[in-house]
Amino acid sequence: MKISVAQMQVIEGNMEKNYETSLDMIQKAKLNGSNLVLFPELFLSGFDYTNLDKLSRLSPKYIDKLLEESKNIAICGTFLENIDNKIYNTFYCLYERKVLFKYSKIKLFEVTKEDYYFKAGNKNQPNTFDLFGVKFGVCICFELRFPEILRKAALNGAQVLLVSAIWPVERLHAWQSLSCARAIENQAFVVTCNANDRSGKWMCAGHSSVYDPNGLLLECALDCTTLKSVVFDPEYSRKIQKEFPSLIRAYDLNCMGEKL
């Protein structure tokens, strides 16, 4: 399997410019034979709170455009989604001109008033999907700090964990440490895509990365706009789990009184 991370500057509120950048990244990923390309959080709009309602109503038009580009490559990232005048931060997987999977962010970042402008997703919604014979798990930005979210995906069999984010440079160390930790504790590949450069008032950390199930860094985009691609065998996750069975199974968690 070949996965690309499309690290880019997310220009707040400029959907057309961001779309043009993403389209260029998709074409490059197609040319290098990638199966899937992962984009940052809200990569078309950013967190433009002033124009959030207007931008959310434009999202379907751009999603339709990206659906046309999803022939032979899966396109993943988060979009503004307006449902009954409530706005969600929703992860999409687009493939073969269909919406294969959606997951709305459940842990909203109160520090930046994300919880004021967005509606949280249903806590019981699945955060895994199947594609290419592989089970993928998903979390969005701030959710990386909540290990139970990706643990839920791992217990559902996820071999590859996808993280879409706009993460600030001030917390770069946490971004790297948490991503590595999620790989080790879940014995799964972790593929992260963050924005770089400035998005609104935030300077983003970049450093989109791929970690293997042992927490080894396979690739890192550092702090520039770039497409990074990695080839790996998702079944290596199963191999590691068998050789070093540290992943707690669902029945163990039930015995501990834990709820996911």
Side-chain angles (χ1 to χ4, degrees):
M1 165 168 285
K2 191 171 193 176
I3 290 183
S4 290
V5 290
Q7 182 167 289
M8 57 181 275
Q9 180 183 15
V10 177
I11 302 172
E12 192 172 278
N14 195 335
M15 296 187 82
E16 187 60 28
K17 178 62 176 177
N18 293 328
Y19 169 73
E20 290 172 2
T21 301
S22 67
L23 188 60
D24 180 63
M25 296 278 199
I26 292 166
Q27 298 308 321
K28 289 177 180 176
K30 285 181 178 180
L31 286 173
N32 73 24
S34 292
N35 304 102
L36 182 150
V37 57
L38 178 65
F39 284 93
E41 182 181 21
L42 298 181
F43 67 99
L44 293 183
S45 62
F47 287 90
D48 185 357
Y49 288 155
T50 303
N51 299 299
L52 212 55
D53 183 73
K54 174 186 174 182
L55 294 170
S56 70
R57 296 179 190 280
L58 289 173
S59 277
K61 179 182 79 170
Y62 285 97
I63 291 170
D64 286 344
K65 287 183 178 184
L66 289 171
L67 280 168
E68 290 303 309
E69 300 297 327
S70 68
K71 181 75 174 173
N72 299 323
I73 189 169
I75 301 170
C76 297
T78 90
F79 300 85
L80 296 174
E81 185 175 44
N82 193 314
I83 301 175
D84 298 328
N85 296 317
K86 294 181 175 66
I87 299 172
Y88 297 82
N89 184 346
T90 301
F91 183 101
Y92 278 67
C93 177
L94 313 176
Y95 184 61
E96 295 291 354
R97 297 174 180 161
K98 296 179 181 178
V99 177
L100 183 72
F101 169 79
K102 292 199 301 181
Y103 165 82
S104 295
K105 190 174 185 180
I106 62 175
K107 295 290 188 180
L108 302 175
F109 192 43
E110 295 94 341
V111 174
T112 58
K113 298 186 177 180
E114 193 178 340
D115 58 325
Y116 178 81
Y117 292 95
F118 287 86
K119 175 76 173 175
N122 187 328
K123 292 182 179 180
N124 296 319
Q125 67 185 308
N127 67 331
T128 57
F129 65 95
D130 296 286
L131 185 61
F132 312 122
V134 177
K135 179 82 77 173
F136 291 88
V138 170
C139 82
I140 302 170
C141 201
F142 183 49
E143 295 182 333
L144 187 62
R145 290 183 177 271
F146 299 86
E148 63 272 18
I149 293 176
L150 288 181
R151 176 52 58 93
K152 174 183 175 180
L155 292 174
N156 284 328
Q159 301 151 276
V160 181
L161 305 173
L162 305 176
V163 185
S164 179
I166 288 184
W167 196 285
V169 70
E170 291 87 352
R171 292 185 283 279
L172 172 59
H173 176 69
W175 168 249
Q176 294 174 303
S177 299
L178 291 167
S179 299
C180 181
R182 299 295 89 88
I184 295 169
E185 68 194 11
N186 293 306
Q187 297 182 307
F189 290 92
V190 168
V191 181
T192 71
C193 191
N194 189 23
N196 67 291
D197 210 319
R198 183 168 295 281
S199 185
K201 63 183 179 181
W202 293 289
M203 182 60 71
C204 301
H207 287 75
S208 303
S209 300
V210 180
Y211 294 86
D212 84 352
N214 291 310
L216 297 177
L217 181 63
L218 303 180
E219 185 60 273
C220 181
L222 300 179
D223 60 358
C224 59
T225 294
T226 185
L227 184 84
K228 291 290 187 179
S229 304
V230 177
V231 177
F232 60 84
D233 181 3
E235 286 302 309
Y236 182 62
S237 172
R238 303 275 188 253
K239 180 176 182 292
I240 293 300
Q241 290 171 15
K242 289 178 181 178
E243 291 179 352
F244 193 77
S246 67
L247 184 66
I248 299 175
R249 300 299 174 182
Y251 64 83
D252 294 319
L253 287 171
N254 288 336
C255 290
M256 293 163 60
E258 298 286 345
K259 293 183 179 180
L260 291 178

